[in-house]
Amino acid sequence: MDEMNTTLSVEHVTKRFGDFTAVEDLSFSVQSGRVFGFLGPNGAGKTTTIRMIVGITIPDEGKIQLFGSGITPGIRDRIGYLPEERGLYKKMKVLDQLRYFAALKGVAQKEADKRIDFWLGRMQLSEWKSKKTTDLSKGMSQKLQFIATMLHNPDLLILDEPFSGLDPVNVEFMKEVIAEIKSQDKTIIFSTHLMETAEKLCDDIILLNKSRKVLSGKLREIKASYGKNVISLRCSGGEAVLADKELVAHIVEHSDEKEIFLKETGRAKDLLARLVESGADVTKFESIEPSLNDIFIDKVKT
Ligand code: ATP
């Protein structure tokens, strides 16, 4: 791995709250210019990790480096952080609010006003500039808070659940904006439960479950590696073969077919041979790349 291009490195990080370990011995890195998806079910430890990365809390064990250094005020200024619990001043007008956030990051007002106009336009909020934040819908507030994370032109964006509170049209819109930011050589880390969205946006992913990493790497490679072990099957009969835990790890049922996740040691040709031998009527048998959602379910179900 090229250390020069490593924007974030997390090494053997553990975080406890009393007796509860929220993040356990977590290691991963994020390369510059990549979109990195932070995935996992509720309570997996995503927000806890993100809060350690941005320096809100400190790991009990392990080391976090950003741009090759520990977190300092200078490093903090290179990060745009969208927290999970949004923190807008409801009574402030949109413009004043954004000016305030820009000033906190040391952006001169003239430049801040230019950027505010650009971003309000880009996020389709220009007509709300003089309105109070409390007049905005949940989705609009979400977009406003996103603008606040962008005003100092950060090199690294860390977005905790950036799609929450957005309707499907705005999810698509936000995806476009994130893709645009990526094309400017920025690095983006975001957490989400939306696997389809992650699948479309991410270069790399990490999947946490119960405080630990269960999967990480390049999304393409992860999907390709699963492709060898997942079969799209349409057949009648063969129930006993499919129930064989030595061969089949898990099955995702669709309306008229099944996705068969073979055990790592299982082989597709053995499955086919045994189905035929059992007298099953097989009308479709195809190696497929599973969706990220299927991989997610396969990895987190226990
Ligand atoms: P979600 O998708 O639901 O936001 P998450 O993956 O972001 O989940 P975290 O918010 O990191 O999960 O929480 C991980 C676990 O740590 C949870 O069980 C949570 O209750 C616990 N936890 C987080 N913060 C604290 C805290 N300050 N004190 C005690 N427990 C905490």
Side-chain angles (χ1 to χ4, degrees):
M1 188 178 303
D2 185 352
E3 291 296 322
M4 294 296 288
N5 285 325
T6 302
T7 295
L8 166 69
S9 86
V10 171
E11 291 170 38
H12 301 292
V13 163
T14 292
K15 180 74 188 175
R16 298 183 197 91
F17 297 108
D19 290 341
F20 179 72
T21 304
V23 175
E24 191 167 355
D25 193 24
L26 181 64
S27 297
F28 65 95
S29 60
V30 178
Q31 306 304 299
S32 72
R34 311 279 289 177
V35 177
F36 185 92
F38 219 70
L39 315 175
N42 292 129
K46 304 180 296 296
T47 296
T48 305
T49 305
I50 287 176
R51 288 165 65 89
M52 288 190 282
I53 294 169
V54 297
I56 294 174
T57 54
I58 299 167
D60 292 312
E61 286 163 34
K63 192 166 98 175
I64 296 179
Q65 291 216 305
L66 282 156
F67 305 103
S69 145
I71 191 138
T72 61
I75 293 285
R76 223 176 236 136
D77 284 349
R78 296 180 66 185
I79 302 172
Y81 167 51
L82 179 74
E84 188 180 34
E85 61 301 328
R86 319 301 184 202
L88 292 169
Y89 299 94
K90 293 217 178 315
K91 289 189 179 148
M92 258 177 145
K93 287 192 175 151
V94 166
L95 173 62
D96 296 337
Q97 179 122 228
L98 290 174
R99 278 181 170 165
Y100 172 74
F101 282 118
L104 280 183
K105 289 288 188 182
V107 184
Q109 186 161 327
K110 207 167 156 205
E111 180 60 26
D113 282 354
K114 259 194 347 210
R115 294 183 189 177
I116 288 168
D117 281 341
F118 169 80
W119 276 108
L120 284 174
R122 183 66 192 92
M123 300 304 281
Q124 303 169 337
L125 287 176
S126 297
E127 66 202 73
W128 296 85
K129 188 171 172 178
S130 314
K131 301 263 169 48
K132 282 201 182 131
T133 306
T134 157
D135 295 336
L136 268 57
S137 71
K138 196 173 164 200
M140 287 173 185
S141 303
Q142 167 81 351
K143 290 195 313 192
L144 180 60
Q145 181 120 25
F146 176 78
I147 296 176
T149 69
M150 291 303 300
L151 290 174
H152 58 297
N153 195 21
D155 296 318
L156 167 64
L157 271 184
I158 301 181
L159 311 172
D160 200 350
E161 299 284 352
F163 306 103
S164 76
L166 298 181
D167 64 34
V169 172
N170 273 309
V171 168
E172 286 307 307
F173 177 73
M174 197 66 197
K175 272 158 62 180
E176 263 172 42
V177 171
I178 290 178
E180 252 169 53
I181 296 168
K182 188 205 170 189
S183 72
Q184 295 155 9
D185 275 345
K186 308 282 189 189
T187 309
I188 300 161
I189 300 174
F190 70 97
S191 69
T192 188
H193 298 113
L194 303 179
M195 292 302 129
E196 275 185 34
T197 303
E199 184 149 13
K200 286 193 185 129
L201 274 180
C202 294
D203 300 306
D204 308 300
I205 60 157
I206 185 165
L207 175 57
L208 301 189
N209 190 32
K210 297 183 181 158
S211 318
R212 301 189 71 105
K213 172 168 79 176
V214 289
L215 186 68
S216 70
K218 292 191 171 71
L219 179 59
R220 206 57 322 286
E221 290 178 6
I222 289 171
K223 289 193 61 169
S225 75
Y226 262 80
K228 294 188 208 101
N229 269 33
V230 183
I231 309 294
S232 175
L233 175 71
R234 205 176 295 143
C235 81
S236 56
E239 288 81 3
V241 178
L242 298 178
D244 182 352
K245 297 277 176 244
E246 296 297 310
L247 187 59
V248 174
H250 130 247
I251 299 177
V252 178
E253 298 276 354
H254 294 289
S255 56
D256 63 341
E257 57 191 47
K258 304 176 199 305
E259 264 170 46
I260 313 293
F261 283 66
L262 293 172
K263 296 258 302 199
E264 273 175 36
T265 48
R267 292 192 306 168
K269 66 176 191 176
D270 292 342
L271 175 64
L272 181 59
R274 286 187 49 194
L275 283 168
V276 171
E277 202 181 306
S278 74
D281 182 16
V282 179
T283 51
K284 179 179 177 187
F285 190 95
E286 186 186 342
S287 273
I288 56 160
E289 277 194 352
S291 68
L292 186 54
N293 196 53
D294 289 343
I295 295 174
F296 178 97
I297 291 167
D298 182 56
K299 279 287 177 189
V300 305
K301 66 154 186 40
T302 39

